[in-house]
């Protein structure tokens, strides 16, 4: 949310933001852009008629005074995923979903696109963003890569965030259910990925890890007009302590990452 606010401010919009708690690092960045005031917390007086839109973060509660004031004034309300979709409606959208590995996959894709000098935007939700200066980049680029979370989009939009982006290319890294208030059963959790697969448009692409419960989920999705691309954990070998990827042509490519999930990514 903070990086989105800064990106929108730098593109010429008038932006204000608020939260119950803001870390010192994020607070200093927002203060430098004059996005937040010195008073941290909620204040319904910040919400006035004439505001073009209010973006509701995923942690905001239904009784939030600024949200309630926005609803009373009938202002345009967006969840974060909905707003990102509106800003990328004319782009090709690649959405990375799954229970783990999403940020790693995002950063690998970004690295490859940078290597090939492609113009693209991105939204990285995970905490680690590698060498990226921001978690959000929005421009006139024709392509956007989005990390799709399985949390609800917002209190006013109780749909998993990854379903809100309307992907052209979907990636599912893997499914690993953990009981939560949002997903009390494994079936309820895994079914969301079935909906994600079913949302792939005609001519679209679904890329998925084929040795995971995701295969069972997608097997029930009857879409003959999409391209399915399964993948496995990459084959590797060692020479001393150095790990290598081994290609189909038996070439050995040295790598700096190790571990099962990273090699899946």
């Amino acid at each position: 949310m903070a990086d989105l606010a800064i990106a929108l401010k730098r593109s010429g919009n008038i932006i204000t933001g608020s939260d119950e708690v803001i870390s010192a690092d994020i607070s200093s960045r927002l203060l430098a852009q004059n996005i937040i005031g010195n008073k941290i917390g909620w204040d319904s007086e910040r919400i006035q008629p004439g505001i073009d839109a209010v973006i509701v973060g995923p942690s905001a509660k239904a009784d939030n005074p600024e949200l309630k004031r926005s609803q009373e004034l009938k202002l345009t309300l967006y969840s974060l995923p909905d707003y990102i979709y509106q800003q990328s409606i004319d782009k090709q959208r690649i959405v990375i979903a799954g229970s783990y590995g999403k940020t790693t996959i995002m950063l690998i894709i970004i690295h490859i696109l940078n290597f090939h000098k492609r113009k693209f935007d991105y939204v990285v939700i995970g905490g680690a963003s590698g060498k990226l200066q921001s978690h959000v980049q929005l421009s006139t680029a024709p392509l956007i890569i989005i990390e799709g979370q399985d949390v609800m989009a917002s209190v006013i939009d109780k749909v998993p965030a990854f379903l809100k982006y309307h992907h052209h290319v979907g990636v599912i890294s893997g499914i690993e259910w953990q009981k939560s208030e949002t997903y009390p059963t494994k079936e309820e959790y895994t079914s969301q990925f079935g909906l994600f697969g079913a949302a792939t448009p005609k001519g679209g692409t679904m890329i998925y890890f084929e040795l995971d419960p995701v295969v069972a989920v997608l097997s029930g999705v009857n879409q003959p007009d999409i391209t399915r691309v399964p993948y496995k954990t990459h084959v590797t070998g060692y020479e001393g302590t150095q790990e290598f990827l081994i290609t189909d042509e038996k070439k050995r490519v040295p790598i700096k990452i190790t571990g099962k999930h990273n090699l899946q990514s």
Side-chain angles (χ1 to χ4, degrees):
M1 289 289 284
D3 281 351
L4 174 62
I6 291 170
L8 293 174
K9 181 69 179 286
R10 287 175 173 168
S11 65
N13 295 281
I14 300 171
I15 302 293
T16 61
S18 56
D19 205 339
E20 194 169 24
V21 178
I22 304 177
S23 70
D25 173 58
I26 293 175
S27 178
S28 63
R29 292 169 56 213
L30 293 172
L31 282 168
Q33 298 291 330
N34 197 30
I35 290 172
I36 59 171
N38 293 316
K39 179 183 175 184
I40 302 299
W42 310 117
D43 183 358
S44 60
E45 291 302 311
R46 292 192 182 105
I47 308 299
Q48 298 294 331
I51 290 177
D52 293 314
V54 175
I55 304 173
V56 183
S59 301
K61 304 294 189 294
D63 61 354
N64 183 292
E66 296 185 19
L67 174 57
K68 291 175 72 173
R69 173 68 171 162
S70 300
Q71 291 170 325
E72 290 167 4
L73 293 175
K74 294 182 169 55
L75 298 177
T76 299
L77 294 171
Y78 292 108
S79 65
L80 173 62
D82 249 341
Y83 189 79
I84 295 297
Y85 170 66
Q86 293 298 325
Q87 293 297 301
S88 60
I89 200 165
D90 294 325
K91 302 177 186 291
Q92 183 185 33
R93 294 177 296 281
I94 300 175
V95 179
I96 318 298
S99 305
Y100 51 81
K102 296 184 294 296
T103 305
T104 303
I105 292 172
M106 283 277 301
L107 295 176
I108 291 171
I109 292 173
I110 287 171
H111 171 76
I112 292 166
L113 290 172
N114 279 327
F115 179 84
H116 289 285
K117 296 180 172 55
R118 289 288 301 274
K119 292 183 179 180
F120 63 94
D121 289 335
Y122 59 81
V123 179
V124 181
I125 304 295
S129 58
K131 297 179 180 179
L132 302 177
Q133 294 182 341
S134 172
H135 286 73
V136 177
Q137 178 172 294
L138 294 173
S139 70
T140 59
L143 170 69
I144 187 168
I145 309 98
I146 303 169
E147 183 179 351
Q149 300 291 89
D150 54 20
V151 299
M152 296 297 112
S154 77
V155 71
I156 60 169
D157 196 4
K158 295 184 178 180
V159 174
F162 59 64
L163 293 178
K164 302 299 294 183
Y165 299 114
H166 307 285
H167 62 276
H168 300 102
V169 177
V171 181
I172 303 179
S173 61
I175 297 178
E176 195 171 276
W177 172 70
Q178 292 184 342
K179 189 173 183 179
S180 65
E181 187 176 328
T182 304
Y183 301 111
T185 68
K186 183 177 181 178
E187 291 71 23
E188 192 168 353
Y189 181 63
T190 56
S191 68
Q192 306 305 318
F193 294 93
L195 295 174
F196 183 67
T200 307
K202 184 175 182 178
T205 302
M206 176 57 58
I207 304 169
Y208 58 94
F209 182 56
E210 71 170 13
L211 302 180
D212 189 90
V214 68
V215 176
V217 172
L218 292 181
S219 66
V221 178
N222 183 22
Q223 286 178 291
D225 51 4
I226 71 170
T227 301
R228 296 184 181 225
V229 184
Y231 68 90
K232 300 178 182 179
T233 306
H234 210 297
V235 178
T236 63
Y238 279 93
E239 187 175 301
T241 59
Q242 175 63 59
E243 190 164 11
F244 293 83
L245 294 183
I246 300 176
T247 71
D248 292 340
E249 297 80 21
K250 305 302 180 183
K251 291 182 180 179
R252 293 151 61 86
V253 183
I255 54 173
K256 297 180 180 180
I257 60 173
T258 59
K260 180 180 70 173
H261 285 165
N262 281 332
L263 293 171
Q264 289 170 15
S265 300

